[in-house]
Amino acid sequence: MPTRETSDVIVIGAGVVGAACAHYAALAGLSVTVVDRGHVAGGTTGAGEGNLLVSDKEPGPELDLALLSTALWTELADRLPPSVEYEPKGGLVVASDATGLHALRAFAARQEKAGVVAHEVSGDRLHDLEPHLAPDLAGGFHYPQDAQVMPAHAAAQLLRAAGDRVRLALGEEVTGLLTGADGAIRGVRTATRELHAPHVVNAAGTWGGALAALAGVHLPVLPRRGFVLVTEPLPRVVRHKVYAADYVADVASGSAALQTSAVVEGTPAGPVLIGASRERVGFDRTLSTEVLRRLAAGATSLFPVLGGVRAIRTYPGFRPYLPDHLPAIGPDPRVPGLLHACGHEGAGIGLAPATGQLVAAALTGARPPLDTHPFRPERFDATAP
């Protein structure tokens, strides 16, 4: 016979966004059950590089969310265990020619007005920051606010730090949402039991659209595949997150076609992580040798020293993409009691703490720390304002 359990809120998804939602809801005094069909960080989070970036974001709602999260990650780093590997190493965006540098300069000027710290670095001074960079680059911009965490550990520690207010229900796939006669949320159904709560948070990442469909609402989340190439452990060859200027344009693009741009960063454990690629191919995990060739070529164009280094593995991940490149965060007016926290694309790890705070504020009726209107889940309906 199915068992019945009750909490104040159910979070569907044990990735870093779901973990942050649970964490801040628990800090606000709520009891939380986190349900996931797999394990903690078993989806997009576990395939991420752990980037906490402001450098790649245009001024606007996403950058506001990123700046808030930057402050929150700094605070979390002081109270979470060292295993999260929080590293405020900064980012370096480089341009190969004067045209690219001019575009970076204009981009950074807009960001600085929104609160981002960016320092121009001339071509002859780039090696002060990255001694192994390729010669003859035109210059770049250093972003000291960029940082990195180990994403799987970050998700696990966010859940653990919430204490006994958070219960985990792992290995349980949600098969339906429970609603009352008035259509309001009453909980979720899994294959083995019912879990009851007056609020359900959709933090299902790439599967957020399918979860929304269980509630009878439209949320057009699509998977956008990317690969990461991992080298053998090295001395600290790459000190910052370093990427070419075209990465910013790729992040903002809505193209379904394959796009690659050079993104290279070291890790405390030694391996160098190499990206980035983007393409919409559904949930196809087939290894693409063309993607790997492009990633390797891009990395060695920035850091020629990597040409003699072994790549020891690669793995794909699926970013939860929404058409306007903004996540869906907050209550869904179409289904009372349903909230969303998904669609962050490749920025979910960086944006998780602010997302968690916004969701906790909505659950408790507190004043949100920033304007939530741009993230409203119903905005994709044809009649939405």
Side-chain angles (χ1 to χ4, degrees):
M1 179 178 293
T3 61
R4 173 172 175 154
E5 295 186 26
T6 302
S7 54
D8 294 321
V9 57
I10 294 168
V11 176
I12 302 174
V16 70
V17 171
C21 290
H23 181 88
Y24 286 104
L27 290 186
L30 302 179
S31 60
V32 186
T33 300
V34 178
V35 186
D36 197 292
R37 66 183 180 184
H39 52 81
V40 173
T44 298
T45 295
E49 297 173 63
N51 294 321
L52 317 178
L53 303 184
V54 298
S55 58
D56 62 344
K57 296 172 178 63
E58 284 272 8
E62 188 184 27
L63 180 56
D64 294 341
L65 202 64
L67 287 168
L68 174 58
S69 277
T70 294
L72 292 173
W73 273 119
T74 301
E75 184 269 329
L76 287 167
D78 288 336
R79 57 184 182 85
L80 295 181
S83 64
V84 303
E85 296 182 13
Y86 175 77
E87 188 180 13
K89 62 186 178 183
L92 182 63
V93 189
V94 297
S96 59
D97 56 31
T99 300
L101 184 59
H102 177 76
L104 284 182
R105 189 177 295 125
F107 184 67
R110 296 194 299 273
Q111 291 178 306
E112 287 177 324
K113 292 178 182 178
V116 174
V117 178
H119 305 299
E120 184 167 357
V121 184
S122 61
D124 61 348
R125 300 305 300 270
L126 286 174
H127 289 83
D128 294 344
L129 295 174
E130 290 289 347
H132 297 285
L133 263 178
D136 302 324
L137 292 169
F141 276 80
H142 176 227
Y143 288 85
Q145 291 161 298
D146 282 356
Q148 186 178 24
V149 293
M150 199 294 181
H153 290 175
Q157 295 301 340
L158 281 167
L159 291 169
R160 185 169 290 121
D164 58 9
R165 287 189 178 276
V166 173
R167 293 179 295 183
L168 299 182
L170 303 179
E172 296 192 50
E173 183 172 1
V174 172
T175 58
L177 299 182
L178 305 176
T179 57
D182 59 354
I185 288 291
R186 294 291 182 267
V188 304
R189 181 183 298 109
T190 73
T192 59
R193 57 176 171 164
E194 293 182 353
L195 300 170
H196 288 251
H199 302 284
V200 168
V201 178
N202 171 16
T206 311
W207 296 273
L211 195 284
L214 289 179
V217 296
H218 175 61
L219 192 65
V221 180
L222 295 172
R224 205 175 184 191
R225 186 177 73 181
F227 284 90
V228 175
L229 195 59
V230 184
T231 76
E232 61 186 313
L234 302 170
R236 203 58 185 260
V237 172
V238 184
R239 300 176 179 179
H240 304 78
K241 179 186 176 70
V242 182
Y243 60 87
D246 55 353
Y247 173 76
V248 176
D250 284 356
V251 169
S253 169
S255 173
L258 173 62
Q259 298 170 307
T260 60
S261 48
V263 180
V264 186
E265 61 191 309
T267 63
V272 173
L273 307 180
I274 297 169
S277 67
R278 282 174 164 77
E279 57 186 330
R280 293 213 305 272
V281 292
F283 288 99
D284 182 0
R285 301 182 66 88
T286 304
L287 180 67
S288 170
T289 55
E290 172 61 17
V291 171
L292 300 187
R293 184 193 67 78
R294 290 196 194 185
L295 295 182
T300 54
S301 71
L302 284 183
F303 290 91
V305 67
L306 295 178
V309 170
R310 291 184 305 155
I312 59 173
R313 65 186 180 98
T314 185
Y315 56 88
F318 298 97
R319 304 175 183 93
Y321 165 85
L322 280 168
D324 61 1
H325 300 283
L326 291 178
I329 305 173
D332 192 323
R334 300 167 294 185
V335 182
L338 176 65
L339 298 88
H340 299 281
C342 59
H344 297 74
E345 201 168 337
I349 295 162
L351 302 179
T355 299
Q357 277 206 344
L358 291 180
V359 167
L363 289 168
T364 60
R367 182 175 181 176
L370 50 78
D371 180 20
T372 61
H373 185 75
F375 310 113
R376 63 199 186 283
E378 75 279 12
R379 68 187 185 269
F380 300 101
D381 285 356
T383 57

